[in-house]
Structures are given as structure tokens and as C-alpha cells.
Amino acid sequence: PEAVDIEDEPEHIKSLYGLDQDETRIYGRQCLMARRLVERGVRFVQLYHTNWDHHGNANSNLGKPLERICAEVDRPSAALVTDLKRRGLLEDTLVIWGGEFGRTAYSQGKLSSTNYGRDHHPRCFSLWMAGGGVAAGTVYGSTDDFGYNVASNPVHVHDFQATLLHLMGFDHERLTYLTQGRRFRLTDVHGEVVPGLLA
């Protein structure tokens, strides 16, 4: 229980994570607890931040809601990476930040100056990773000018899964489980480790 009790953390650490600001307090607390769990040897920590579905109606468009929600996560996320690095934990901790789905860069539905959104988009998806053996400062892959199709260095979900397993020390082709008389792997019969993502 003491792992999630952040009251003894120094004020400068609480401030780093944004616990001193209303907009960053909730997610900042999650990020700080994540660092505390990692320090204590917890091998897998997952954080959630909801309400990224900015499309389609006046209550959920890109404008101010997206600006607000980005402000809620940017500072705490950066603090987590910074704090892990300062404590010598980042090299052994893989941080992955992603959303539920890709998004188009163009509007969905009726366009006005106050109501505009973007549609779900299965072809292109962005995320970032830090630590844990990934190549720092690397941008891998690109889309066309409309963000609609992959233009270079595509990474299929099976390739991403194979790469994550590699970073965690598993060979995705040998990690199998037996079910219904057949050995299955997490990447099925697909997946290649992406060398360009590795340090």
C-alpha cells in the first residue's frame, strides 16, 4: 500500500508531475504512482486517460477539448520519463504512449469554425516510446501529405508486437502457448522485429 501513498514525495517532485495544478493533478498522480511501482519492481504498469474521442458533435470536437486534454497529459508524461531517467530506471523501463485508434487530419461531418472533428482512421497510427532499449529521438515512418496512407517505413501491428516482445527479452517466434492441441504465438504467423526502433 505504501507504493501508492505519494504524500511523502518531496514538493519539487509533486510539482514536476503537475500535482500543484488542477489540469494535471489526476493524470500526474497516476504517473507518479507508476514511477513508485516501477521503483519497487512491478513489471507492468498501465495508465489510462479517457475522453480522446474528439469527433462528430459540438461537445466533442478538436478545438478547445483537444487542447485541454493534451495539457492534462503532456506535463505528467514528460515528468515520468524525466524522473525515471534521473533515477537510472529508464534504461530498463519501456514507456509506451498511445491512443485507441488512428485519426484523420481532416474534418468529419458538417464543418464550421466552432465544430470540427476528425474521423476514426485504421490506416495510420502514431505513438511514442522511451527507454527500455528503443532508439531515442527517432521518428520512424511517415504518412502522405493528408495523413491518410503510410508513405514510408510501415509497421504492422504484428511487427510492433514482435518488437515489443524483443525489447522485453522474448523471441516472438518461440513464445507460444498450447490451446486446442495447437501451439499459438502472440503474433500468430506474422511479425518481424523492426531494427530501426532499437537502440
Side-chain angles (χ1 to χ4, degrees):
E2 62 86 26
V4 295
D5 179 7
I6 63 171
E7 297 312 311
D8 290 338
E9 289 284 341
E11 289 306 314
H12 73 278
I13 294 294
K14 292 178 184 177
S15 178
L16 175 70
Y17 283 88
L19 272 59
D20 54 354
Q21 295 183 4
D22 289 341
E23 65 186 354
T24 52
R25 183 174 295 117
I26 294 172
Y27 189 66
R29 185 178 185 85
Q30 290 182 53
C31 288
L32 180 52
M33 284 192 291
R35 191 223 71 212
R36 291 174 61 88
L37 291 169
V38 168
E39 274 181 318
R40 287 155 178 79
V42 175
R43 297 185 64 177
F44 186 86
V45 180
Q46 186 169 3
L47 307 180
Y48 290 95
H49 189 280
T50 61
N51 196 21
W52 287 87
D53 210 12
H54 300 122
H55 67 103
N57 64 56
N59 297 321
S60 167
N61 63 65
L62 282 179
K64 291 294 179 185
L66 183 60
E67 186 178 314
R68 175 188 52 77
I69 206 162
C70 286
E72 291 175 7
V73 299
D74 284 354
R75 180 177 174 180
S77 298
L80 176 59
V81 172
T82 299
D83 205 10
L84 288 170
K85 186 172 183 178
R86 283 180 186 166
R87 293 166 189 269
L89 296 168
L90 187 59
E91 65 186 46
D92 296 322
T93 304
L94 177 61
V95 180
I96 305 168
W97 198 104
E100 59 156 352
F101 211 82
R103 297 287 188 204
T104 59
Y106 48 82
S107 180
Q108 172 186 16
K110 185 177 180 182
L111 177 64
S112 74
S113 62
T114 58
N115 184 20
Y116 50 93
R118 53 189 177 168
D119 202 357
H120 289 145
H121 184 44
R123 293 185 180 159
C124 302
F125 184 90
S126 297
L127 55 82
W128 61 262
M129 300 188 296
V134 299
T138 299
V139 175
Y140 192 89
S142 65
T143 66
D144 60 23
D145 290 343
F146 299 103
Y148 193 74
N149 288 309
V150 176
S152 70
N153 295 329
V155 178
H156 190 276
V157 65
H158 293 299
D159 300 333
F160 183 64
Q161 182 75 29
T163 304
L164 294 185
L165 288 169
H166 174 81
L167 289 166
M168 292 187 284
F170 297 103
D171 179 343
H172 75 104
E173 293 181 335
R174 296 184 63 207
L175 179 64
T176 63
Y177 59 97
L178 184 64
T179 185
Q180 297 180 348
R182 179 178 167 225
R183 294 204 168 274
F184 286 84
R185 22 186 263 223
L186 294 174
T187 52
D188 195 23
V189 296
H190 311 280
E192 299 289 332
V193 174
V194 182
L197 295 176
L198 306 178

